[in-house]
Amino acid sequence: MHELGIVIKAVKNVEEFARENNVTKIETLVLQIGALASVIPRFVEECYPMAVKDTMLEDTKLKIEVLPANARCRACEKVFNVLEEKGVCPYCNNEKPEMISGNEFMIKEIIAC
Amino acid sequence: MSKYKIIEIKESVFEDNNRRADLLRGELEKEKTFLLNLMSSPGSGKTTTLVRTIDALKDEISIGIMEADIDSDVDAKTISKTGVKVIQLHTRGMCHLDAEMTRQGLQGLDTQGIDLAILENVGNLVCPAEFDTGASKNAMILSVPEGDDKPLKYPLMFSIVDVLLVNKIDAMDFFDFDLEAVKERVTKLNPKIKIIPISAKTGEGIDQWADWLRCEVKKWNEK
Ligand SMILES: Nc1nc2c(ncn2[C@@H]2O[C@H](COP(=O)(O)OP(=O)(O)OP(=O)(O)O)[C@@H](O)[C@H]2O)c(=O)[nH]1
Ligand SMILES: [Mg+2]
Ligand SMILES: [Zn+2]
């Protein structure tokens, strides 16, 4: 499972952000993960307690928002969900979409004071 | 009782590391220190290959080694017998090094006067591929006993490295390992990759590897 290293890195970045912005107590961390990312939300949830142990985020809640895998059609330029449409543009049937989202691993926000 | 509020951060974890890695690379270029990041599965021969590499180059290039391990110093002890500067980095459970940890390692090594710093990354084919360490070049080892299907299972690692060393070729007869198939699979993922078959045991292929490294260090440090 390679999620742990990546979550530890995210936790470090949040701690750094908190220090720089004088945040004293964090209640919830909100992550955004793309539907096509190599990081699997279920595994992130599993390793979260281990990743936050002995950090400022110990005992915080984790919320994960999954971002859709969207693409722009190279022919008609419309945006569609690649997973739902199985890679084919639903407007003009073109099969070579350009990915515009779905690979993210983002720290969206924290609920804190 | 203090009030909680939403504080937006909006930061991509990979991009943040990429930024730090680029920064470090720039500094190393100014400082004239070439950093090689060496990655592979556990036991594929990183340390043995490093000892060979050091023996081949230490008379002409000043070398420093960083041994990253989850929790031991066996490899650092092996390397220290060659006489070059070496430090042990403990990752405390982390399965890879990122740019920030690499920077700290380089500080610990003290790269003043070092032309070639080599990082032996944690034995793992997945996570190190996702974190740019700030290295000038990336190399990986695939050893014969691991099998020729590894490029199919771990495509990311094979697609980001500059060099692939295929190690333990002395054991080729004992394993069902198709070198040509590996070359074909890897080149498909990464057309610019350099593939060098070696045996860290017999020394076969080490000359070619040392030539490549010597040439890259020179290019970097004369920039
Ligand atoms: N036959 C053969 N054995 C080798 C070769 N290179 C390394 N070995 C053996 O493979 C084993 C592992 O080698 P190491 O150099 O410790 O591998 P490593 O990648 O540094 O291992 P970790 O640091 O534990 O991930 C040792 O027993 C070596 O003697 C080779 O070219 N041929
Ligand atoms: Mg080793
Ligand atoms: Zn279309």
Side-chain angles (χ1 to χ4, degrees):
Chain A
M1 190 169 74
H2 77 130
E3 275 76 7
L4 180 61
I6 295 169
V7 178
I8 289 175
K9 169 76 180 147
V11 168
K12 259 197 211 161
N13 286 13
V14 173
E15 279 190 303
E16 203 168 293
F17 175 92
R19 265 196 306 276
E20 282 164 11
N21 294 277
N22 300 319
V23 173
T24 51
K25 182 137 183 55
I26 303 174
E27 194 239 358
T28 303
L29 166 64
V30 186
L31 297 177
Q32 288 179 320
I33 302 179
L36 292 177
S38 63
V39 186
I40 314 297
R42 188 167 60 82
F43 292 158
V44 171
E45 276 163 6
E46 259 172 40
C47 68
Y48 190 70
M50 223 185 307
V52 295
K53 199 171 175 302
D54 299 327
T55 74
M56 206 185 147
L57 280 85
E58 190 157 7
D59 296 325
T60 53
K61 276 183 254 167
L62 172 68
K63 241 173 73 185
I64 297 176
E65 296 176 6
V66 176
L67 298 178
N70 282 344
R72 182 177 287 110
C73 174
R74 282 186 220 268
C76 72
E77 298 199 342
K78 288 202 176 74
V79 172
F80 63 94
N81 185 310
V82 206
L83 292 178
E84 279 168 18
E85 307 299 337
K86 301 196 166 55
V88 182
C89 173
Y91 306 100
C92 75
N93 290 326
N94 183 288
E95 290 179 13
K96 292 208 170 61
E98 179 190 358
M99 292 305 305
I100 54 175
S101 70
N103 266 323
E104 299 81 356
F105 184 71
M106 299 267 297
I107 301 164
K108 187 193 181 200
E109 61 200 20
I110 48 177
I111 301 173
C113 60
Chain B
M1 178 75 199
S2 42
K3 266 230 192 84
Y4 286 111
K5 58 178 187 288
I6 293 175
I7 306 170
E8 189 174 86
I9 302 183
K10 279 273 172 214
E11 174 188 282
S12 161
V13 175
F14 295 126
E15 268 167 42
D16 172 68
N17 184 64
N18 290 346
R19 213 183 51 238
R20 288 172 204 242
D22 284 337
L23 208 71
L24 179 59
R25 219 177 344 264
E27 290 168 15
L28 288 170
E29 197 178 327
K30 270 200 221 107
E31 216 186 274
K32 300 195 182 300
T33 299
F34 180 96
L35 173 63
L36 179 81
N37 175 23
L38 180 62
M39 299 172 282
S40 83
S41 304
S44 62
K46 295 181 292 299
T47 307
T48 316
T49 302
L50 280 183
V51 170
R52 285 277 184 187
T53 310
I54 293 164
D55 286 340
L57 294 173
K58 73 174 173 196
D59 292 338
E60 38 183 317
I61 296 174
S62 74
I63 303 174
I65 307 284
M66 294 183 286
E67 284 291 337
D69 252 309
I70 292 181
D71 194 26
S72 87
D73 60 357
V74 182
D75 287 349
K77 283 200 179 120
T78 308
I79 296 290
S80 68
K81 289 188 194 130
T82 64
V84 303
K85 216 168 171 184
V86 55
I87 61 161
Q88 179 72 54
L89 310 176
H90 286 306
T91 60
R92 280 184 227 92
M94 288 275 268
C95 47
H96 65 274
L97 281 168
D98 62 20
E100 203 47 48
M101 289 149 74
T102 306
R103 174 194 293 282
Q104 287 166 13
L106 287 164
Q107 266 163 13
L109 187 65
D110 185 11
T111 47
Q112 280 261 339
I114 284 185
D115 307 320
L116 167 62
I118 305 179
L119 168 65
E120 177 176 334
N121 214 315
V122 183
N124 178 337
L125 281 185
V126 183
C127 318
E130 304 205 59
F131 285 89
D132 188 343
T133 56
S136 319
K137 294 280 170 186
N138 293 290
M140 75 172 286
I141 298 177
L142 169 67
S143 66
V144 166
E146 291 171 73
D148 52 29
D149 58 352
K150 284 289 174 296
L152 303 173
K153 291 184 178 163
Y154 304 100
L156 184 63
M157 177 68 84
F158 289 87
S159 56
I160 60 140
V161 294
D162 301 287
V163 188
L164 166 66
L165 300 175
V166 180
N167 189 30
K168 308 195 186 180
I169 52 166
D170 57 282
M172 199 96 95
D173 293 344
F174 312 113
F175 295 91
D176 207 8
F177 187 92
D178 187 343
L179 184 60
E180 289 314 308
V182 167
K183 284 183 181 166
E184 196 188 309
R185 285 165 188 163
V186 171
T187 320
K188 213 180 259 170
L189 292 167
N190 184 348
K192 282 188 288 197
I193 198 170
K194 172 124 182 129
I195 302 174
I196 309 176
I198 62 164
S199 166
K201 188 178 174 186
T202 67
E204 195 182 342
I206 295 293
D207 280 353
Q208 200 193 342
W209 158 239
D211 283 347
W212 180 87
L213 195 54
R214 182 188 293 113
C215 177
E216 291 297 326
V217 172
K218 216 168 164 188
K219 265 195 264 173
W220 183 264
N221 296 351
E222 280 171 7
K223 250 198 239 175

